[in-house]
Amino acid sequence: MRLTGSEIVIECLKEQGVDTVFGYPGGTILNIYDALYKHDGEIRHVLTSHEQGAAHAADGYARATGKVGVCMATSGPGATNLVTGIATAYMDSVPLVAITANVAVPLLGRDSFQEIDIAGVTMPITKHNFIVKDVEKLAETIRRAFIIAKEGRPGPVLIDITKDVTANETEFEMVRPEPIERKTDYIKEDDLEAVIALINKCKKPFVFVGGGAVIAEASEELNEFVEKVHAPVADTLMGKGAFDGTSELYCGMLGMHGTKTSNFGVTQCDLLITIGARFSDRVVGKAERFARNAKIVQIDVDPAEINKNIIVNESIIGDVKEVLKRLNARIEEHRHDEWLAQIADLKQRFPLKYNEEGLTGPYIVEEIYRVTKGDAVITTEVGQHQMWAAQYYKYKAPRTFITSGGLGTMGYGLGASLGAKLGCPDKTVINIAGDGCFRMNMNEIATAARYNIPVVQVVINNHVLGMVRQWQTLFYEKRYSHTILNDAVDFVKLAEAMGAVGIRVTKKEEVAPALEKAIGLGKPVVIDCQIDCDDKVFPMVPAGAAIEEAFDQDDLK
């Protein structure tokens, strides 16, 4: 059949199983929006309040569902407003397809109205990108973009389509997408044998889990592996939920704001088995002292990550799920009771703790966990509240903790929560924010209200930029340069003005009733929780220090 480029875009999205698109229209992309109008009911389009919100919503949808998220925007500022969201997805390996339109081919390179080289702008922050100047190549390009976004280590792909291509016609035939095979080419027999030999010899193994285990859907294989090796487990922000956070073998997060148990345990272990993690600087601290008593094994789908940040003794390159299947079939069950007793002692000596007088961030997160029974999808912004959400909520399953890890994007969580809720409508979705982050993209509350997307927005409101203030307190002699937000902004009134419900919480006993009411209403709700401006996230490792130098409030005394 003969179709315009715009109709081909819609047909290709349907072909790929896309049911939801987040975006914002404009001049150059109008043809695509006109085609979308004609297919109303086949693909749901969510008009966000800002293009950045569309990118974050597509990202949250992808993380919550495991599908490819899709966002679209017009040329020029519409396209550049997607950039932060694309970079966020790139840093955290999220499968995303961003569709932008550009000026017609004859106008390219002439500084035409709302023209920008968005492919050039996003080249460093996409897995791949395309400029389509010929309608004959459009369908093939879209199909290729979805494959690239999903295969191997996932990531964002941008397709920039000139306006004349969206209007031109060509023949189109539907093609059923081929299933994407898991990456196994680099899984070598010698590598498997070398890792098994290390597991058989070790006395104090420690398993360290990253986001790759979540992406690979490897939780079942991971649990079997951990039980066979009989080892304690730490994770990264991205790895939360890959291993059950309620298990006795779970020790908490590793790194700058990780638990002392995990930081000390990794320092004392004799074998560190790293699964789908890239040894970020926030995890490793001082690289030359990281796991210095251990042999290190790294399992990762991306060869570029091997020996990039930490030199390892052995590695296996390949899809994490497939690697663990092969290891599980061959390793024997081990017992490390003495080592696990040492870990249990660390847990007892160094539990996570906070000031229990008055309303605090950790208390709010614990109440969220209690009210939701640990079954919610939690999204966050970036800062103290993010770390409290990672520390005090127990994630039992993958894709239930959605946060910006690599880029640390303030303003990410609210848009992501909308995408997560639309992707998982039967789940309770709660976005935990600080007041500084909430201000950045709080206009997406209007989006939630417009579509009645019943997300619960919890603002842990300390009237400061909390994490930056914490650093200023500890390392900058309390010089609070431009981190105080003590103004007249009222988040309850703001929520009501945007069509949502607003609730203010100032006491501990008000938290649970507010959460229960918010979840029960079936509407978007903003809960403004007032806490002290000097509450801090502990433990903490100073920048550039070794992870065993973690300190907390007791150490400061």
Side-chain angles (χ1 to χ4, degrees):
M1 56 182 168
R2 199 160 180 83
L3 298 178
T4 66
S6 297
E7 291 166 334
I8 288 170
V9 171
I10 304 305
E11 291 301 328
C12 283
L13 292 179
K14 289 162 54 181
E15 183 183 279
Q16 296 295 325
V18 174
D19 56 20
T20 305
V21 172
F22 305 89
Y24 208 98
T28 60
I29 204 168
L30 267 180
N31 290 334
I32 293 175
Y33 269 84
D34 192 50
L36 194 61
Y37 180 87
K38 296 170 186 173
H39 290 267
D40 184 42
E42 296 175 81
I43 295 177
R44 170 176 53 190
H45 179 275
V46 177
L47 175 66
T48 54
S49 298
H50 191 284
E51 291 93 348
Q52 188 181 118
H56 293 328
D59 176 303
Y61 177 93
R63 296 196 206 210
T65 64
K67 301 177 184 177
V68 177
V70 180
C71 58
M72 55 174 61
T74 197
S75 62
T80 58
N81 282 344
L82 294 177
V83 167
T84 298
I86 293 170
T88 301
Y90 180 74
M91 291 291 282
D92 291 342
S93 302
V94 178
L96 190 75
V97 170
I99 298 171
T100 56
N102 214 326
V103 298
V105 170
L107 296 177
L108 287 173
R110 297 175 179 271
D111 293 332
S112 303
F113 177 67
Q114 290 193 332
E115 178 201 356
I116 196 161
D117 177 14
I118 192 61
V121 169
T122 59
M123 189 173 292
I125 55 166
T126 50
K127 193 175 174 186
H128 196 79
N129 61 29
F130 300 92
I131 307 172
V132 184
K133 302 178 185 178
D134 180 353
V135 71
E136 302 282 345
K137 298 178 180 177
L138 180 57
E140 171 194 341
T141 300
I142 294 171
R143 290 164 185 152
R144 183 70 189 133
F146 274 82
I147 292 170
I148 293 170
K150 288 187 285 187
E151 71 177 351
R153 180 179 184 170
V157 179
L158 179 127
I159 312 169
D160 193 35
I161 310 168
T162 60
K163 186 166 185 177
D164 46 354
V165 166
T166 68
N168 294 341
E169 291 188 351
T170 190
E171 288 296 321
F172 175 79
E173 187 175 333
M174 292 284 284
V175 174
R176 185 183 299 275
E178 293 290 329
I180 293 175
E181 300 295 328
R182 292 181 178 272
K183 292 286 185 181
T184 59
D185 297 351
Y186 293 101
I187 303 177
K188 305 298 183 188
E189 183 68 21
D190 288 349
D191 295 339
L192 292 168
E193 288 293 341
V195 170
I196 291 167
L198 287 178
I199 291 171
N200 288 339
K201 284 192 293 186
C202 72
K203 302 296 183 187
K204 298 191 289 186
F206 208 111
V207 174
F208 172 43
V209 181
V214 175
I215 293 165
E217 308 283 0
S219 289
E220 185 178 334
E221 291 77 11
L222 175 64
N223 286 327
E224 182 183 345
F225 179 80
V226 169
E227 292 293 335
K228 280 195 164 187
V229 176
H230 202 224
V233 180
D235 56 18
T236 66
L237 270 179
M238 295 294 97
K240 294 234 159 264
F243 185 77
D244 185 353
T246 64
S247 167
E248 288 187 5
L249 293 173
Y250 180 66
C251 299
M253 194 165 61
L254 183 68
M256 180 173 281
H257 292 295
T259 63
K260 285 188 173 183
T261 300
S262 289
N263 285 358
F264 296 168
V266 166
T267 302
Q268 295 168 18
C269 75
D270 65 3
L271 178 64
L272 181 64
I273 306 168
T274 305
I275 301 173
R278 60 186 176 85
F279 296 115
S280 150
D281 58 299
R282 286 296 173 105
V283 162
V284 167
K286 194 176 184 68
E288 53 267 36
R289 289 177 60 187
F290 179 74
R292 63 185 184 274
N293 298 310
K295 301 281 189 184
I296 301 178
V297 167
Q298 187 175 7
I299 300 170
D300 205 287
V301 74
D302 186 355
E305 290 300 338
I306 307 299
N307 294 324
K308 185 177 85 174
N309 295 326
I310 292 291
I311 303 300
V312 300
N313 298 91
E314 300 292 346
S315 62
I316 305 174
I317 300 168
D319 179 84
V320 165
K321 188 182 186 78
E322 289 300 315
V323 171
L324 290 177
K325 277 183 180 178
R326 297 186 191 191
L327 288 173
N328 287 340
R330 296 163 68 166
I331 59 175
E332 300 172 1
E333 292 199 12
H334 295 266
R335 299 296 303 177
H336 297 106
D337 295 323
E338 186 177 336
W339 169 232
L340 289 177
Q342 290 181 45
I343 295 296
D345 179 61
L346 288 174
K347 285 184 180 181
Q348 189 171 16
R349 288 163 54 204
F350 304 113
L352 286 173
K353 57 185 177 180
Y354 59 89
N355 179 11
E356 296 187 15
E357 293 181 12
L359 185 61
T360 63
Y363 177 82
I364 294 164
V365 173
E366 286 189 331
E367 284 296 275
I368 293 172
Y369 177 74
R370 189 185 65 77
V371 169
T372 63
K373 300 180 174 61
D375 292 327
V377 173
I378 303 296
T379 66
T380 79
E381 308 291 346
V382 170
Q384 289 180 314
H385 63 276
Q386 177 191 33
M387 295 299 104
W388 289 324
Q391 292 172 330
Y392 290 96
Y393 196 100
K394 296 179 179 68
Y395 300 93
K396 299 180 287 187
R399 303 194 183 281
T400 55
F401 182 60
I402 296 173
T403 193
S404 172
L407 196 63
T409 305
M410 294 175 70
Y412 165 80
L414 179 53
S417 73
L418 302 183
K421 183 63 180 178
L422 291 173
C424 303
D426 296 332
K427 299 287 281 186
T428 296
V429 178
I430 299 176
N431 183 50
I432 301 175
D435 49 319
C437 289
F438 181 57
R439 290 162 179 257
M440 289 198 168
N441 281 328
M442 60 190 179
N443 50 357
E444 298 305 338
I445 290 294
T447 307
R450 182 188 307 122
Y451 294 98
N452 194 33
I453 305 171
V455 295
V456 179
Q457 167 65 69
V458 175
V459 183
I460 298 180
N461 188 353
N462 56 9
H463 300 280
V464 295
L465 300 178
M467 188 62 87
V468 186
R469 181 183 177 89
Q470 177 166 330
W471 280 63
Q472 288 172 331
T473 300
L474 296 173
F475 307 118
Y476 290 85
E477 298 178 340
K478 299 185 179 181
R479 293 187 293 274
Y480 300 124
S481 178
H482 302 286
T483 51
I484 296 171
L485 306 175
N486 198 12
D487 51 29
V489 176
D490 187 325
F491 292 142
V492 171
K493 289 181 179 178
L494 183 140
E496 293 167 350
M498 289 189 176
V501 175
I503 303 171
R504 183 166 288 110
V505 167
T506 59
K507 301 174 183 176
K508 292 171 76 172
E509 57 268 27
E510 296 172 344
V511 176
L515 287 166
E516 289 161 357
K517 177 181 178 182
I519 292 167
L521 281 173
K523 298 178 180 179
V525 178
V526 175
I527 305 176
D528 179 19
C529 301
Q530 304 279 325
I531 71 165
D532 186 84
C533 66
D534 279 315
D535 283 358
K536 294 179 177 62
V537 178
F538 288 118
M540 182 177 187
V541 178
I547 57 172
E548 70 263 30
E549 294 180 46
F551 67 91
D552 56 25
Q553 193 71 52
D554 291 341
D555 298 316
L556 288 178
K557 292 175 184 175

